[in-house]
Amino acid sequence: MQIIKWWLNSHPTQALTKLQLLNSFGRYHPTQSTGGFFARVSELLGLGIITASKEVMEGEHRTRVTPVYTLNQTKARSLINHGGKLN
């Protein structure tokens, strides 16, 4: 819930990489561990609260485009309104 509330209040419409999310969230919650944060992001992704773009390999040199994550504001607000219960 902390991540969802923070995301709604700080970057509700931005698409961010996992590292950008960690760095921004870490400014407000410095005790958050990297592994714990990434695990919560994966859980939110599995629940459909956030979505991720596809990881893409491009060009002759196979440059990798890192996935970016976007918050599903409708689902996030519904989750908050229902006290953390999925409906």
Side-chain angles (χ1 to χ4, degrees):
M1 289 296 290
Q2 280 184 336
I3 293 172
I4 295 169
K5 288 177 183 177
W6 160 80
W7 202 335
L8 276 171
N9 291 322
S10 61
H11 310 290
T13 60
Q14 285 184 303
L16 303 166
T17 66
K18 205 181 280 189
L19 191 56
Q20 288 171 321
L21 287 169
L22 174 66
N23 290 336
S24 183
F25 185 75
R27 283 188 226 125
Y28 299 98
H29 302 281
T31 59
Q32 178 68 42
S33 71
T34 302
F37 181 81
F38 289 163
R40 299 303 76 78
V41 168
S42 293
E43 289 169 351
L44 293 172
L45 186 60
L47 293 170
I49 306 296
I50 61 175
T51 57
S53 66
K54 298 281 186 199
E55 184 174 53
V56 179
M57 302 298 274
E58 291 182 340
E60 182 179 312
H61 300 289
R62 309 287 292 167
T63 302
R64 191 168 108 174
V65 176
T66 304
V68 291
Y69 297 83
T70 307
L71 181 67
N72 181 323
Q73 292 185 54
T74 303
K75 285 187 178 184
R77 289 184 200 290
S78 176
L79 188 67
I80 289 170
N81 291 336
H82 291 98
K85 294 180 182 177
L86 296 171
N87 288 339

